[in-house]
Amino acid sequence: MLKIWSMKQKQQQDANADAAAGNKRKKVTAAQLRVQKDLSELSLPSTMKTDFPDPDDTLNFTLTIEPDEGMYKGGRFHFTFAISQGFPHEAPKVKCTQKIYHPNIDLEGNVCLNILREDWKPVLNLQSVVVGLQFLFLEPNASDPLNKEAAEDLRSNREGFKRNVRSAMGGGAVKSQSFDRVLKV
């Protein structure tokens, strides 16, 4: 919390100095302040890590999840986070960068997680999203699918679904659809 206020204070001092010198400087937005706060409070387990391709842009980053249990154990999954200036009033846009076999992630990488859609509230934070994504790998939800074939597979034949997940994670094909290899080396 202190970091946010000191960041805002420094911004004001810099703005005053720039105004005196006749320079223009970008302001830190409310979304950036909230993301900074959320990131400082983020508590990631050893199976997850964030990466900021542009260290000056906290609104766009990647999250890597490496489940250590469940049917997706041994995989490495990458998600991009794109946070708009409307955050926290608008949910972050989250996409899986790989083509994976999962009932709640479609072949284009769109993620079906209720808190990223209709159940988003400004009181939710990035930790809530991270926990939600982690839970999708521990317990895929066949009752709210984006990939209907995978959901039907999970509902009708759990063991067959597990075999299809392993095959897809290895870069194989399921029902003539090929998937990206996501197994850790």
Side-chain angles (χ1 to χ4, degrees):
M1 188 72 147
L2 215 48
K3 188 173 184 177
I4 293 170
W5 297 122
S6 62
M7 190 171 144
K8 191 70 175 161
Q9 220 171 14
K10 171 132 177 53
Q11 175 191 351
Q12 187 60 50
Q13 289 168 351
D14 291 348
N16 291 344
D18 286 347
N23 298 335
K24 291 275 186 204
R25 186 180 275 254
K26 285 179 97 174
K27 284 190 160 199
V28 175
T29 65
Q32 289 169 316
L33 288 172
R34 172 61 189 271
V35 167
Q36 180 68 37
K37 176 184 181 293
D38 283 7
L39 290 172
S40 70
E41 295 172 351
L42 202 57
S43 175
L44 295 178
S46 61
T47 57
M48 295 185 185
K49 68 177 181 168
T50 54
D51 180 50
F52 293 85
D54 177 357
D56 294 329
D57 182 8
T58 56
L59 299 182
N60 294 286
F61 61 93
T62 60
L63 172 74
T64 301
I65 300 176
E66 297 178 353
D68 59 357
E69 58 184 292
M71 4 186 157
Y72 292 90
K73 179 180 180 175
R76 179 178 290 140
F77 306 94
H78 305 285
F79 293 86
T80 57
F81 278 64
I83 302 171
S84 76
Q85 292 298 334
F87 186 79
H89 301 286
E90 295 173 17
K93 303 286 184 246
V94 179
K95 282 187 89 112
C96 184
T97 62
Q98 300 131 312
K99 187 154 98 173
I100 65 172
Y101 186 72
H102 194 291
N104 309 109
I105 301 171
D106 70 16
L107 301 177
E108 286 78 47
N110 298 307
V111 178
C112 182
L113 186 61
N114 64 331
I115 63 170
L116 291 175
R117 301 175 309 167
E118 71 276 359
D119 290 343
W120 177 259
K121 293 175 180 46
V123 296
L124 293 172
N125 58 19
L126 294 176
Q127 182 75 38
S128 307
V129 176
V130 166
V131 168
L133 288 172
Q134 181 181 33
F135 190 71
L136 286 181
F137 287 106
L138 295 175
E139 274 304 316
N141 181 2
S143 61
D144 187 20
L146 273 183
N147 182 333
K148 294 185 186 335
E149 282 186 10
E152 183 54 38
D153 196 15
L154 176 58
R155 275 193 296 269
S156 64
N157 181 2
R158 192 168 179 87
E159 286 308 310
F161 175 78
K162 285 181 185 179
R163 282 191 300 277
N164 286 339
V165 166
R166 295 312 295 172
S167 172
M169 285 174 54
V174 177
K175 297 177 181 153
S176 73
Q177 183 67 244
S178 59
F179 293 89
D180 292 340
R181 180 175 170 78
V182 295
L183 289 173
K184 294 186 287 188
V185 211

